[in-house]
Structure formats: structure tokens, C-alpha cells
Amino acid sequence: MQGKPFSQLRVGEAAEFGKTVSEADIHGFAGICGDFNPAHVNEEYARGTPFGSRIAHGMLTASLISTVIGTMLPGPGSIYMQQEMRFSAPVYIGDTITARAEVVELLQEKQRVRLRTTCTNQEGKIVLDGEALVSAPRG
């Protein structure tokens, strides 16, 4: 399976992936990466934080961008090379997050794509904003 080749990509083109974050997602992610920060896994502790409840790992949220890049835009065969991120709001259990990648520049020489990457919650609030550099499939 091959994603969209560099030659077919256009500035302004975008793709999105949405997911509702569950408690199982947070515990599974903690198990995979080893980050058992009590802000993520201990409700009693998290109630005493500025967030008032447990929050998802920032990198769990960011991983949804990887889903867009690796499966949709440009898709299979893409190589994720760089990501800049700013986390601007917490993600709570039950939040529905929409990850979006939009082509902002096509770099012809090495067939790389610069993407604006965002994650928004169900209220439309940006929880993560950034930019990615991707090597697109050849073609």
C-alpha cells in the first residue's frame, strides 16, 4: 500500500483523524512508554493539580498526528522527519480529539512536505499546534 506521491500533493490539502480518549488509552500509553506520572494515572493526585482531574499524555495526543501522516496525508510510505509542537490546553478522559495535517509547503528538491499540524477538542479548542516535516512517498 502506498500513500499519495509527492507529485500529487497540493498546498492547502488536508486530512483529519478523530478519536475519543479513554481511560484505557491513557493506561495503555503509560504502559507502552513507561510514563506513569500521577497526573495521568492517579485521580486523587490529579484532583490537586491545576487541571483538577487526570489528563492525557501530551505525546498521546501528538501521536494522533502521526496517524494522519502515516495513514492519510501523505499516507503509507511517508517518513516523519521533524515535529514542532506547542501544547495549549489539557486533554481529559472523554475528550474527542481531531488531529489535522494541512500541506503548507512542498519542498521540491528532496520531495519533502511541510505540514501545519493541529489537534482540537470537541469544543473546537486547539490543544496542540505545530508543524511537521515529512518525506512523502516517491512517485
Side-chain angles (χ1 to χ4, degrees), residues 1-118:
M1 178 155 62
Q2 186 76 359
K4 197 167 197 179
F6 180 85
S7 62
Q8 293 178 16
L9 294 170
R10 300 292 174 255
V11 171
E13 186 173 3
E16 296 181 343
F17 172 78
K19 176 172 183 26
T20 300
V21 177
S22 70
E23 184 162 344
D25 294 328
I26 291 172
H27 283 285
F29 192 84
I32 289 167
C33 71
D35 180 355
F36 289 93
N37 180 332
H40 307 305
V41 299
N42 183 315
E43 184 60 35
E44 185 176 332
Y45 172 88
R47 276 195 293 270
T49 69
F51 305 114
S53 186
R54 289 183 296 150
I55 57 171
H57 301 75
M59 295 311 288
L60 186 155
T61 303
S63 73
L64 301 178
I65 294 167
S66 181
T67 300
V68 175
I69 291 170
T71 66
M72 296 176 206
L73 185 67
S78 300
I79 304 298
Y80 211 150
M81 302 184 71
Q82 185 177 339
Q83 177 73 56
E84 171 196 311
M85 293 178 279
R86 289 171 299 284
F87 299 98
S88 53
V91 172
Y92 296 96
I93 294 170
D95 280 354
T96 298
I97 302 301
T98 301
R100 176 180 170 87
E102 179 181 346
V103 177
V104 293
E105 185 178 14
L106 296 166
L107 304 164
Q108 293 289 336
E109 185 179 339
K110 294 188 178 181
Q111 294 196 347
R112 294 186 179 157
V113 183
R114 196 165 53 86
L115 301 162
R116 176 167 187 225
T117 54
T118 56

